Amino acid sequence: MIRIESGPWHAMLAHAVETYPNECCGAMLGVADGEAKTVSEALRLENAFAGAQAARYELRPEDLMAADSAARKRNLDLIGIYHSHPDCDAYFSATDLKNSCPWYSFVVLSIQKGEFNHANSWLPNVDQTAAAKEELSY
Ligand SMILES: [Zn+2]
């Protein structure tokens, strides 16, 4: 399960609402105690997708590496990635699955008409063929 503390949670919501109607993306830093993860910081990352960003996001590998070292400097780990789905449910799409990594939690925020609607966290399998829903609290 993954728990997002109030500070990072509101930062993620604000980011998703500001970026609407495009997708936002960012990193979640925190601590993982086995399967119990706590997010204590959210780091905005740039959506590097060159085309229409209303239904796509792309992270640069170097931005992800920078987020990972930022986490280490704070004695935290990079435990997941978040992104938004403007006017779309918080499901894990085929593209999301293709671009995923099995060792991260993927939080998807559904923003409907510019406002937060719901969120889900996903755990992709190693083959990137399916993602299981992870218990999410915030
Ligand atoms: Zn997505």
Side-chain angles (χ1 to χ4, degrees):
M1 68 158 288
I2 182 162
R3 190 174 68 81
I4 304 174
E5 288 177 357
S6 144
W9 175 249
H10 286 102
M12 286 161 61
L13 292 189
H15 189 198
V17 166
E18 274 171 42
T19 316
Y20 181 90
N22 288 332
E23 290 197 10
C24 74
C25 53
M28 298 182 296
L29 318 184
V31 289
D33 180 12
E35 306 223 312
K37 304 158 193 166
T38 305
V39 175
S40 53
E41 205 170 323
L43 208 63
R44 292 182 177 206
L45 297 175
E46 192 190 334
N47 183 347
F49 184 62
Q53 296 185 349
R56 260 311 259 288
Y57 81 99
E58 201 175 288
L59 286 169
R60 291 189 195 95
E62 58 266 38
D63 288 347
L64 214 50
M65 278 164 65
D68 191 63
S69 66
R72 275 164 217 290
K73 273 188 203 125
R74 297 165 170 82
N75 276 322
L76 299 171
D77 279 319
L78 173 57
I79 59 179
I81 306 294
Y82 71 89
H83 75 282
S84 62
H85 279 181
D87 294 321
C88 213
D89 282 342
Y91 70 105
F92 208 58
S93 71
T95 312
D96 289 338
L97 201 51
K98 198 177 120 241
N99 298 328
S100 68
C101 318
W103 50 87
Y104 292 136
S105 289
F106 287 83
V107 169
V108 182
L109 305 161
S110 168
I111 306 296
Q112 314 262 355
K113 298 193 174 92
E115 280 174 37
F116 172 71
N117 191 278
H118 65 281
N120 285 313
S121 183
W122 301 96
L123 293 169
N125 64 7
V126 252
D127 309 318
Q128 291 169 254
T129 51
K133 210 185 246 190
E134 179 179 36
E135 196 187 329
L136 166 70
S137 63
Y138 49 83

